[in-house]
Structures are given as C-alpha cells and as structure tokens.
Amino acid sequence: MKMLFNRTYEGLTLEEILKSPDQELEKKLQALDFYKAYELVLSVPWEAKAKLILNSPYPEGLVKNLPYQELFLTIKASSLDLAVELLSYAKGTQIQFMFDIDCWYKDRIKPERVASWIVLLFQAGEGKVVEWLRVADFDFLIAIFQKFIKVYKKPDDMELIEAMDFLPYFTLDDFYFIEFKNEALEFYFRRMIELLREEMPETYFALLESVIWEIPIEVEERAYRWRNGRLADEGIPEYFEALDVYTPLHPKSLKKIEPVYLPPSEGKEEFSPVNIMVYTGDEPLMIFKVLETIEDSYQIDRIKKELAWLSNKVIIVDNVVIDEIEQVKKSLDKVWGSLNLGIEYLSQGNLEVAKRLVEEHFLEDLFRIAQTLLKNLRRFALSIVKSKDFDLSVLRYLDQPYKGYLEGVWVKNLNQIKCFCPEKIGTLEEYTFFKRISEVNTVRRYIEEIGYMAPVIERMFGSTLAWIREVNLPGRNYDVNFLTWSSLIITSLFYWKYKGEFVFKALPKSSWQKVINELFYEKENRCELKPEIKEMLFASFENYVKNHWYYEKELLDSFLNFVLNKLSLEFQNIDLQNPPDPKYQTLVLVDLNH
C-alpha cells in the first residue's frame, strides 16, 4: 500500500520536484512522457498541481484528463491567475462540474457562487463560455437565468414604438426584452444571451421562453435531480445521502464484506477521483502501519475506491459550501483520524487484528464505529451538562484544560466534535480531530471529574452570582474573566489562613505577605506549600463530600492535585521575604484597598 503515497520520478522524489524553480522544473518535466507526467500530477498536493501542469509540455491534455473533482480542488487551491489559466484548458463537462459541486447549498442554488464562476469563466475566454453553454444542463441554465434576469415579450396587439415605453431597453430581436436584476453582472449575462443567439439559436429561444413560463421552484428541483446524477457518476453522493456516514454503528453490527462485491483486479493501479492525502501528525497512526502491510492488489484497489467514496461523504456533509482548500484537508484529516480510532478500538491495538478489519470490512463501517464512540462521549458530556445536581452557570468558570475538553464535545452536531489539545492552546491547532482511543478515554475522564466536582464547588462556595459580586467589588486585583474553580479554592485557602474561614472572600493586601509565609516554606531554593496545609485541604474536602455529596477518592484527589499544582507553579519562585505585588496575581483574589 506504500505505492499510494511514496513515488519517485526519474530518480527524484516529489519533494525535490516541487522545490525546483520553474525553469528547472520545466526541464525535468520535459523528460517525462504524458502518462508519467499525468501520474506525477495526480500524486502531488492540490496547491502544487497547477505549477506542475502549467510547466509541463502537455498542460491542456493534463487538465482535460484530470478527474473532475481533482481539477475543482486544484482550482480552489490555486491563485486567481493560475485558476483562470487552468480553466482555459478545461472541457465543457468539467466546467459544468464546477457549477454542480460549488454552486449549491444542499438542494438550493447559491446565486453569488454561480456569479463567481461565470466571471471566472469569462476571464478564461468567451470560447470557454460557449463550450460550457453547449453541454450545460438546460434546467440548470433556466434556474440560474431566472435568478439574474427577467424576460418580457412584446404584446401582439401593440406597436413596438408604444411597447418600448414600458419594456426593458435590452433586446436582440425586438421580441424578447430582458431586464437584468444585478447591474454589476449585466455585462456577463447580456454577453451570454448574445452568444446563445449567435451560436445556439434554438437554445436561445427555448431558454428565454422557459425563463418566462417555467415555475422557478420546479425548475430548480429538476436541476437538482440532474445535478445529483452527474455527481454520482463521479463518486460524489448528494448531501442528504451522505448524512448516513455519521449514523452510529454498534460494533456487533459490523459485517464482513462479501467476496462477490470485490472482484479481483487485473493488477492495474487505478487513481481515485480525489487525492487522499497522508496524515502529517507528529506520531504515526495505526491505520498507516496497517496499510503498509497490505500488498494484495485487489485489496489496494478496493481501499482506494472506498477512501474516495468515504472522503467525499465527509467533505459533502462537513462543508456544505467549500470556500477554502483547508476545509477539504480538514475533512480528509478527520477521515484518517476516525479510521484509526475505529480500528484501534476494535483491535485493541493488535496490528494483525487491525489488518483483518481493514481487509474484511468496509471502511465506512469502521468510520461509523468511531462516530459511535464519539457520539457516546458527547452523550456522556450532555448528561453532565444537563445534570440537576448543579446550576449550569458553574461550568462557565472551569479551568483549562477541563473547559477545553468539555467544549470540544459539548457541541450541537456529531460532526463538530473535536479533541482539545492543551499544549496548543491559542493556536489554530487548539482543537483537532480525535485519532486515538487514548484521547477519547482522557476526555471522558476529565468530563467525569467535572461532573463530580461541579456540585461540590457550588455547594461549598454558593451560587455564581455570589462569586461575581465578590470579584466586582472595588479594589479587587482581577475581574470575572480570571475567575475559575481553582481560584475559588486557592483564594478560600488564603482567606482560611487569614481569618479561619474557608470561604471565597478577597484577602486584604495588608495580610498578603503574612499569609504567604504561613502557607509556604523554602525547600531547595524553591517555595513549596507546607505539607500540613495540603493534608488539611484534602481532609477538609474529604469530610465535606462525605457529608454533602459522596466520596470518590480518585476523582477528588485528581482535581485537588491539579489545583495545588497550579498554586505551586505560581509561587515556586517567589521570595518569601519580598513576595510579588498581589496586583498582578490571578489565582488569589486580593482586596487592594485594605
């Protein structure tokens, strides 16, 4: 299965080819015949395809032979000038595919996206516009023209001079008068009408008559059905059909592939209609280890086709409208992650079992097993959120990473579930897709801890309104944005040492140094919390939960250790004789006025 991803050409790797300057690249591509150049183009990421195609000796042949979806994604990933040049080589049917895949929102046409492609098409040349009009779906043409023009006919019983007083000014034959609904797009639609009359007069008359008399909603429904058929021919399901990829599947319902559905291939390698990109994470996934061990040609062919079908389903559902190539990449990343999650779960980490799973079961079913795991995780999170044991507002003040883990799965739709990465907080990779069963177990454990501690926090410290009132009093060192469960406990610990009461109240600034010295001691050039203070805190919480909740040692100790670790990191390097100004402290609420 390595041949799916690792290729060399004339002794050069893909990376070496892609890094070459244009002139050098052009010379290297001259040495390749058409079929090798085509194979190379199919193998590279979408961002690099345009560079290879336009520097090759066969740009038109390569574009015309590209799978429709590959060409679409290549155009999406390219700059405007390269996209126009690529489009100038495209076939009419490839152009119609661009409208089919990119100009619909579920089952309705998006006029603004139609307009964008028409403008782009005119930049590629009027010849391309005519080429598309010759093969364009007639119902689709009616539907889009109805959105941008309105057609009137001169009444039979009225003279032309008289009719011109109230009819639109534009006409080519003094019979059909056309009003353009969008002034900015008038040129393009006027020119298309002129081209139709010049090149395809029969279509011109039929189209304008249809724009007048056809019922828009019915035309759009017909166009949608024809569009779905064309996409299905390219291995792309329609939106409502693709939704079943997120239908949960219980592991016991997993069925083996019947051999009748998998005729042996003749050993000829085929390319899938979409480039399935390799996962580029820091750690290798089990799915790739499995694929490296598969050498059976018919299994390889089956896997590639299933990957393309599965990927298209996920892309269609997750990105009803594709604006950026990154959307597609993220969907493909989800496919790899979910497949890995599914086989990790079912195989329990056994590589041989995982290989049999891939060879004997449909990849979509393995993907759905992963979605079942995530759905159960989301259901567990929702059961915590909807608990009657505490007020929901308590969760607004969760510490990280607890808050991130919960928010990643506390989402409206199953396909929006993400795994929080605390080490990447504040970056674009703060939330990623679940890829390993260990990630699911980690998140579940954190959510379980939240469900256990939330009632304890509320009962011990009162309602969130009381917390907010205390923080918003004059002279406080931080505002409510810094309020967390850990700051409640740590502030209460400081106040207990000051006043003997374990309550959330601001510590007077005048007692700041005294309390710090009573809580901490120096050990090996570091400040640490006194052991007896830690023991007291654990014992107090244990006693409290036994009387007001229930005692779950592992969950309670885990959260308290997290809080004390935050406290230790904050105070480990302070000077006990000259502690830092509490004005900039965000773990302990301090009254700066007293």
Side-chain angles (χ1 to χ4, degrees):
M1 195 68 177
K2 289 182 181 179
M3 60 181 162
L4 266 178
F5 309 120
N6 300 317
R7 300 176 185 274
T8 58
Y9 301 85
E10 301 296 319
L12 296 172
T13 64
L14 285 180
E15 186 177 5
E16 290 171 337
I17 292 173
L18 295 177
K19 286 183 177 179
S20 302
D22 285 356
Q23 290 184 350
E24 186 179 335
L25 178 62
E26 190 173 346
K27 290 180 181 178
K28 291 176 180 177
L29 294 176
Q30 292 286 344
L32 301 179
D33 63 25
F34 175 80
Y35 296 101
K36 286 186 178 179
Y38 181 67
E39 184 181 355
L40 173 60
V41 168
L42 285 174
S43 304
V44 301
W46 297 300
E47 298 92 330
K49 284 192 195 309
K51 178 181 178 180
L52 288 182
I53 290 171
L54 299 176
N55 281 287
S56 76
Y58 329 99
E60 184 171 5
L62 291 173
V63 170
K64 281 181 162 55
N65 284 280
L66 272 181
Y68 292 1
Q69 190 176 5
E70 279 293 288
L71 178 57
F72 165 70
L73 295 172
T74 301
I75 289 174
K76 279 285 184 179
S78 302
S79 61
L80 180 60
D81 57 330
L82 295 180
V84 170
E85 193 168 354
L86 289 172
L87 206 54
S88 70
Y89 293 122
K91 298 182 293 188
T93 50
Q94 289 174 316
I95 296 169
Q96 179 60 45
F97 178 85
M98 307 301 164
F99 287 97
D100 288 338
I101 193 72
D102 201 41
C103 296
W104 292 80
Y105 182 84
K106 297 182 181 178
D107 58 351
R108 288 291 173 260
I109 292 173
K110 296 288 286 182
E112 65 276 12
R113 302 186 81 81
V114 172
S116 297
W117 279 103
I118 287 175
V119 171
L120 199 63
L121 202 52
F122 267 94
Q123 291 183 35
E126 289 189 353
K128 282 296 149 188
V129 178
V130 173
E131 190 174 346
W132 166 60
L133 289 172
R134 291 190 186 279
V135 301
D137 173 53
F138 188 66
D139 285 321
F140 180 70
L141 284 180
I142 298 170
I144 64 173
F145 271 84
Q146 284 180 331
K147 294 183 183 297
F148 290 98
I149 70 171
K150 193 168 184 179
V151 181
Y152 301 86
K153 293 168 70 173
K154 180 184 78 65
D156 294 335
D157 59 350
M158 187 177 293
E159 292 293 328
L160 178 61
I161 297 299
E162 185 180 354
M164 291 287 285
D165 290 337
F166 63 87
L167 290 172
Y169 75 93
F170 181 76
T171 178
L172 294 176
D173 49 21
D174 293 337
F175 188 74
Y176 295 108
F177 294 81
I178 299 167
E179 175 187 339
F180 299 95
K181 298 180 181 180
N182 189 322
E183 186 178 345
L185 298 171
E186 178 179 339
F187 165 78
Y188 302 102
F189 282 88
R190 176 166 54 82
R191 190 65 190 126
M192 279 197 290
I193 293 168
E194 292 170 347
L195 291 171
L196 281 168
R197 192 169 191 276
E198 293 168 9
E199 304 287 341
M200 307 158 59
E202 291 184 1
T203 303
Y204 163 79
F205 289 110
L207 178 62
L208 295 188
E209 284 291 330
S210 298
V211 170
I212 295 172
W213 300 112
E214 290 277 11
I215 300 173
I217 190 68
E218 292 181 357
V219 175
E220 199 163 345
E221 287 176 358
R222 289 203 307 271
Y224 181 66
R225 289 198 296 271
W226 287 114
R227 173 250 191 187
N228 290 342
R230 290 189 296 274
L231 291 183
D233 291 341
E234 298 300 319
I236 301 173
E238 62 99 12
Y239 174 80
F240 297 102
E241 178 188 351
L243 285 172
D244 65 10
V245 77
Y246 285 106
T247 305
L249 179 68
H250 194 278
K252 291 183 179 179
S253 301
L254 196 65
K255 296 179 180 179
K256 289 188 176 182
I257 302 173
E258 296 182 25
V260 69
Y261 296 117
L262 297 170
S265 69
E266 299 175 356
K268 180 182 178 182
E269 186 178 1
E270 297 183 15
F271 291 95
S272 58
V274 61
N275 183 17
I276 309 302
M277 300 173 65
V278 183
Y279 163 71
T280 55
D282 297 331
E283 300 177 20
L285 299 180
M286 175 179 273
I287 181 69
F288 293 113
K289 295 178 182 178
V290 169
L291 294 180
E292 287 178 354
T293 65
I294 297 176
E295 298 180 352
D296 188 325
S297 60
Y298 100 87
Q299 284 285 4
I300 292 173
D301 185 49
R302 173 190 71 82
I303 289 170
K304 289 196 296 184
K305 290 177 180 177
E306 285 193 33
L307 279 172
W309 177 250
L310 172 60
S311 298
N312 277 325
K313 278 194 166 185
V314 175
I315 290 168
I316 290 295
V317 174
D318 287 2
N319 310 284
V320 181
V321 173
I322 299 174
D323 290 313
E324 301 289 342
I325 200 67
E326 286 302 318
Q327 296 171 259
V328 178
K329 289 183 179 180
K330 287 179 180 178
S331 292
L332 294 178
D333 190 37
K334 177 191 283 190
V335 169
W336 287 124
S338 294
L339 287 175
N340 191 75
L341 178 59
I343 66 169
E344 262 197 17
Y345 171 70
L346 293 171
S347 70
Q348 298 296 304
N350 187 304
L351 191 61
E352 285 300 316
V353 175
K355 181 182 178 182
R356 289 200 299 273
L357 285 168
V358 172
E359 291 179 331
E360 298 176 1
H361 299 87
F362 289 113
L363 297 185
E364 183 173 332
D365 287 349
L366 298 177
F367 180 91
R368 289 172 59 193
I369 292 291
Q371 301 312 305
T372 303
L373 289 174
L374 298 181
K375 181 180 181 181
N376 292 338
L377 180 63
R378 175 172 169 264
R379 181 185 296 146
F380 178 64
L382 291 176
S383 70
I384 298 296
V385 169
K386 295 178 180 179
S387 171
K388 296 181 180 179
D389 294 320
F390 61 90
D391 189 87
L392 185 62
S393 62
V394 173
L395 300 180
R396 295 175 191 166
Y397 305 100
L398 277 167
D399 292 85
Q400 294 288 18
Y402 293 88
K403 186 175 184 179
Y405 285 129
L406 179 61
E407 289 181 346
V409 296
W410 182 12
V411 291
K412 183 178 180 181
N413 299 317
L414 179 60
N415 67 326
Q416 297 173 330
I417 290 179
K418 293 285 188 71
C419 179
F420 177 66
C421 300
E423 68 278 5
K424 295 181 179 179
I425 191 167
T427 71
L428 294 175
E429 298 177 352
E430 183 175 344
Y431 287 92
T432 61
F433 298 109
F434 282 91
K435 297 181 176 72
R436 299 172 179 83
I437 194 67
S438 59
E439 295 170 345
V440 175
N441 294 336
T442 297
V443 174
R444 186 179 182 87
R445 170 53 196 266
Y446 272 92
I447 293 174
E448 184 181 10
E449 211 168 294
I450 291 169
Y452 175 75
M453 288 301 303
V456 177
I457 294 295
E458 184 178 42
R459 294 174 190 187
M460 182 173 281
F461 299 108
S463 71
T464 55
L465 290 176
W467 312 346
I468 295 170
R469 273 198 303 270
E470 179 65 25
V471 171
N472 286 340
L473 288 173
R476 298 304 187 247
N477 59 321
Y478 62 75
D479 60 29
V480 74
N481 293 318
F482 292 94
L483 182 60
T484 61
W485 288 8
S486 61
S487 67
L488 289 171
I489 294 173
I490 293 171
T491 298
S492 300
L493 178 64
F494 273 65
Y495 195 81
W496 167 80
K497 200 60 183 172
Y498 163 67
K499 208 66 167 168
E501 298 178 77
F502 196 81
V503 293
F504 181 63
K505 286 188 177 180
L507 176 73
K509 182 180 179 181
S510 57
S511 302
W512 173 247
Q513 182 172 349
K514 179 187 176 197
V515 170
I516 286 179
N517 279 272
E518 290 177 353
L519 289 174
F520 294 90
Y521 74 107
E522 287 189 13
K523 180 182 179 182
E524 299 177 355
N525 297 322
R526 291 180 57 182
C527 284
E528 292 188 8
L529 190 67
K530 293 179 179 178
E532 62 270 22
I533 300 295
K534 180 178 179 179
E535 291 173 8
M536 180 280 305
L537 184 67
F538 275 74
S540 298
F541 266 88
E542 179 181 335
N543 182 61
Y544 185 87
V545 296
K546 284 180 177 178
N547 291 318
H548 298 89
W549 187 224
Y550 68 93
Y551 182 46
E552 186 66 53
K553 177 176 174 58
E554 189 176 352
L555 297 177
L556 180 62
D557 288 358
S558 175
F559 185 75
L560 290 179
N561 280 322
F562 163 78
V563 172
L564 294 183
N565 185 55
K566 285 189 71 173
L567 179 62
S568 175
L569 290 174
E570 183 74 15
F571 286 87
Q572 64 183 355
N573 296 317
I574 68 168
D575 181 357
L576 291 178
Q577 303 306 316
N578 186 27
D581 190 339
K583 180 179 179 180
Y584 305 105
Q585 173 58 238
T586 57
L587 277 184
V588 183
L589 185 66
V590 178
D591 181 358
L592 300 176
N593 292 337
H594 295 88

